[in-house]
Structures are given as C-alpha cells and as structure tokens.
C-alpha cells in the first residue's frame, strides 16, 4: 500500500498538482520506507520465531532514521571554527558586545532592532535579546496577522511568513512595540528613522536610541474597530494606532470607553497627507507618545513567565500590551482573573476602570500539564502490564485477543 501510494504521487496529476515533487519525493520515499520497515518489524514481534529479529530491527531502524535526519539537516552548512568566540565570528561579533552592555546598563523591558541580521533573522534568539525579526516555521500567527493588517512588507523573497524581516522603517509601530535601541552596521544603506539619535559608535556598528520609546503597556481611553481602521491607508493606520486601541468589534461592556470620533479621524488624515516623515507627522507622533508615556504601566517585575506592573488612571479605558496573542497567558487585574481583548490586530489588551491597578501576567506552556499527565499514565500502565505478566500470567493473557482455532480458518 505504501509503495503504491508513492507510485501514485509520482504519476497521478491530481496528487502531484498539490506537491512540489522535486523537493518532496525523496522525503516521502524515506517516510514511506520507514513506515513499511516499522510495520514489518511489528509483524515480526507477533511471531514467536521472529520476535528477536523484530526487537533487533526496531532500534536499528530508529538509529537509521536519526542519522538520516541529522545528516540532512546539517549538510551544506558552514562548520564553525573553535576560535569563533574569541575572533568575533558568527553571532559573536561587535553587536553582541553592544547588546551585553545595554542589558547590563538597562534592565527594563525593551526590544532591539538591527539594520541587517548579523547571521540570520534569528539574531534575537541566538544573542539573547528581544527583537522584531524572526526565523521560525511557526511564527506567531497573531504577530503575522498584525503585520498583514498594517500592510507591512515583512516577507522574505522565498520563505513567506517563516522569515519575518521586521517593520521596515515604520518608526511609529517600532515605538508602539517598545523598540528602544537600534544597531546599524557601518556602511548600511538602510535609512535611520527620525525618532532615533546616535548613542555610541564602534568599529562595525552605530548604536542609536529611540527618543519615542514606549514601555510594554500603554493606556488608551478611546477605541476604534478593526474594520473602521482598515478603511484607511496603511501608514495612516500607524497614526490611528497611537490615538486609540484598535479592537475587533464595538464594545458591549459596562466600562464606558469612547469611540474615536470622525473629527479626530479627519485631523489624523490631514497629518497623514503631509507625509509619513514630515515635520507635522513627527510633531503629532511626539505629542501622542508623550501622552501615552504619562499614562503607561510601570513595570515592577519582568521574567519570561511572569510580568507584574502597576498603573493609575483617572478614567476607564484599555491597556495595550505589546505582547502578541498566544495561548498560555493568564491575566489578573487586582488579583481577579480577566479575559483579555485582542488589540491592534493581534496584541493583548485589558479593560480597566479608573483607579490604581496591579496587573499580573503569567505564562505557562500550553498542554504541558496535560502531556505530562498522559505520559505518566502511559508509563504507569506499561509498568502494571509488566508486573501483571510476571505475577499473574493468566491475567495478562486475558488482555490479548482470542486466537481462532485452525478448524475455523
């Protein structure tokens, strides 16, 4: 059956139309070969004469599978020299030294952007900082959705959403997503946004600080729906994102939050028409970011799995958090668990009333407890079956399917 399926893939036009055969045929052949080999080995286990052969084949097939995967994932990749750290190669260039000094001097939460990756789009992961570029087969769907909604050309030429190349000089959104520092490689042709000012210079990099940096959580006392926002040009959406929380639908809540009115939208449109990098736009951005900073959440504690902040506001509204929406997060306001909103097309937001609030955000890997419980149950059942086979062979035999007599075959 497996061999027939492989033949059909290569010769059936309907099936082949959905597959890139040049890339996938070899992989499919290996997968089907492994499935067939495991199946034959399991058949051997059912025979008392061939059981030892099956027990021998299964680990051999498994080792072969591992060697194949490791071999194919590592071939055609550069080998690192032993002195890569001391010579400043690969991820250990001058940018890593800059990042280390920043993290030593500034312990708060912020993101760092680069004009171009040191090695690849996973610089942030390899060098231990928070960034906006990413290389992951399963990039955050909420983050990708937000980038699409703001019409940001983040796609790599060949890799689609697996490679996220950043915000491409959309400096308003960089501020909203807490980008505080920018590293530009000397000689880079990537333009510097007007919100950045020079901070330090090295042999290969220039370090800039974002004068319009916003912290992790900022407060909005107005909102606008996603559908209404999408009616406007992409770069005007950036300006709207500084003025109101963008939510998926009209609020039906006991907390009275006003909707962004048409008069303000007309004003924003006039500023947008002056140009994204014009002095009028920059002035509008500075004024609104100054207001958001005054009404921002104070970060009291930060770790990968726990964030605690506090905020004091004199009117009800929505607390925008520059955390992409992912399962596993739990939010409490003054000790009470609360259901978050989706704001700005893919980030978390919390409805809060006027007054002082303590915000606590905890993250726990989804299904980790469930997976651990299932694993524990399976191990327990396996141990019980082993014990029952030794203590009570008759009970173990009763768990097997009855064998038909030869006279009925």
């Amino acid at each position: 059956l497996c061999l027939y399926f492989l033949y059909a893939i290569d010769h059936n036009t309907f099936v082949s139309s959905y597959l890139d055969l040049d890339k996938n045929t070899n992989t499919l052949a290996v997968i089907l070969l492994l499935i067939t080999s495991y199946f034959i080995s399991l058949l051997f286990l059912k025979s008392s004469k061939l059981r030892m052969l099956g027990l021998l084949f299964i680990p051999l097939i498994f080792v072969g599978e591992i060697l194949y995967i490791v071999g194919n994932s590592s071939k055609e990749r550069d080998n690192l020299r032993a002195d890569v750290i001391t010579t400043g190669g690969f991820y250990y260039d001058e940018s890593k030294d800059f990042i280390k000094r920043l993290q030593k001097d500034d312990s708060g939460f912020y993101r760092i952007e680069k004009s171009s990756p040191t090695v690849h789009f996973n610089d942030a992961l390899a060098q231990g900082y928070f960034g906006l570029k990413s290389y992951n087969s399963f990039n955050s769907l909420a983050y990708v959705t937000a980038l699409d909604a703001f019409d940001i050309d983040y796609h790599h030429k060949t890799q689609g959403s697996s490679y996220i190349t950043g915000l491409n000089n959309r400096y308003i959104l960089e501020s909203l997503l807490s980008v505080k520092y920018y590293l530009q490689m000397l000689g880079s042709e990537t333009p510097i946004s007007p919100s950045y000012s020079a901070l330090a210079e090295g042999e290969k990099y220039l370090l800039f600080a974002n004068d319009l940096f916003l912290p992790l959580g900022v407060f909005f006392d107005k909102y606008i729906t996603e559908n209404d926002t999408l009616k406007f040009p992409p770069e005007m959406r950036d300006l709207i994102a500084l003025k109101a929380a963008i939510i998926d639908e009209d609020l039906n809540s006991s907390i009275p939050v006003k909707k962004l009115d048409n008069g303000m939208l007309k004003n924003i449109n006039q500023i947008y028409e002056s140009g994204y990098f014009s002095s009028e736009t920059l002035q509008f951005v500075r004024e609104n970011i100054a207001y958001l900073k005054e009404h921002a959440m104070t970060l009291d504690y930060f770790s990968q799995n726990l964030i605690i902040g506090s905020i004091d506001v004199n009117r009800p509204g929505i607390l925008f958090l520059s955390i992409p929406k992912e399962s596993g997060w739990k939010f409490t306001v003054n000790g009470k668990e609360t259901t978050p909103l989706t704001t700005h097309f893919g980030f978390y937001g919390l409805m809060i009333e006027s007054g002082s609030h303590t915000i606590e955000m905890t993250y726990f890997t989804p299904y980790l407890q469930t997976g651990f419980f299932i694993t524990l149950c399976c191990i327990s059942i396996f141990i019980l079956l082993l014990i029952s086979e030794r203590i009570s062979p008759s009970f173990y035999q009763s768990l097997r399917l009855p064998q038909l007599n030869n006279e009925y075959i």
Side-chain angles (χ1 to χ4, degrees), residues 33-34 36-38 41 56-66:
L33 179 63
L34 287 170
T36 305
S37 302
Y38 280 122
S41 299
L56 176 65
F57 278 176
I58 288 177
L60 287 177
I61 297 168
F62 179 74
V63 170
E65 180 181 357
I66 296 297

Side-chain angles (χ1 to χ4, degrees), residues 208-226:
F208 294 84
N210 187 1
D211 300 329
L212 302 178
F213 164 74
L214 282 173
L216 178 68
V218 293
F219 175 78
F220 292 98
D221 59 2
K222 294 180 179 63
Y223 78 92
I224 185 172
T225 64
E226 292 179 355

Side-chain angles (χ1 to χ4, degrees), residues 6-232:
L6 181 61
Y7 175 84
I9 288 175
D10 237 343
H11 295 82
N12 187 292
T13 55
F14 174 77
V15 175
S16 62
S17 64
Y18 290 93
L19 296 171
D20 186 348
L21 293 176
D22 292 337
K23 294 181 179 179
N24 293 332
T25 301
N26 290 338
T27 302
L28 289 168
V30 171
I31 291 172
L32 294 174
L33 179 63
L34 287 170
I35 292 173
T36 305
S37 302
Y38 280 122
F39 178 72
I40 293 172
S41 299
L42 291 173
L43 289 179
F44 284 174
L45 292 178
K46 291 179 68 65
S47 170
S48 57
K49 293 181 180 180
L50 300 174
R51 184 172 297 165
M52 292 303 298
L53 199 59
L55 291 172
L56 176 65
F57 278 176
I58 288 177
L60 287 177
I61 297 168
F62 179 74
V63 170
E65 180 181 357
I66 296 297
L67 291 175
Y68 173 80
I69 293 171
V70 171
N72 279 275
S73 62
S74 60
K75 70 180 182 181
E76 299 180 0
R77 295 181 182 271
D78 296 331
N79 294 321
L80 295 181
R81 299 201 317 258
D83 62 347
V84 66
I85 298 177
T86 56
T87 57
F90 205 51
Y91 285 112
Y92 298 92
D93 69 342
E94 188 183 47
S95 68
K96 186 171 178 64
D97 297 330
F98 268 119
I99 290 164
K100 277 186 175 180
R101 288 200 294 271
L102 287 174
Q103 291 172 339
K104 182 180 178 181
D105 297 336
D106 189 345
S107 59
F109 173 83
Y110 51 84
R111 292 184 171 98
I112 300 171
E113 270 291 81
K114 292 182 176 182
S115 58
S116 57
T118 298
V119 177
H120 205 28
F121 294 110
N122 261 353
D123 279 11
L125 180 64
Q127 294 184 330
Y129 66 91
F130 298 107
L132 296 175
K133 296 180 175 67
S134 176
Y135 165 38
N136 193 323
S137 300
F138 302 100
N139 271 314
S140 167
L141 178 60
Y143 184 35
V144 170
T145 301
L147 295 176
D148 285 333
F150 283 105
D151 200 22
I152 294 171
D153 184 19
Y154 64 88
H155 296 89
H156 189 266
K157 289 181 289 186
T158 60
Q159 299 297 327
S161 61
S162 295
Y163 290 6
I164 293 180
T165 60
L167 298 184
N168 292 337
N169 217 30
R170 297 277 282 273
Y171 71 98
I172 297 173
L173 295 180
E174 287 179 355
S175 295
L176 194 62
L177 298 185
S178 304
V179 175
K180 192 172 185 179
Y181 300 106
Y182 186 89
L183 280 165
Q184 185 186 48
M185 190 175 289
L186 290 175
S188 172
E189 296 181 357
T190 304
I192 295 293
S193 298
S195 60
Y196 292 99
S197 56
L199 193 64
E201 181 177 352
E203 294 180 2
K204 296 181 179 179
Y205 285 91
L206 289 170
L207 176 65
F208 294 84
N210 187 1
D211 300 329
L212 302 178
F213 164 74
L214 282 173
L216 178 68
V218 293
F219 175 78
F220 292 98
D221 59 2
K222 294 180 179 63
Y223 78 92
I224 185 172
T225 64
E226 292 179 355
N227 289 335
D228 287 342
T229 306
L230 291 172
K231 295 175 184 176
F232 299 101

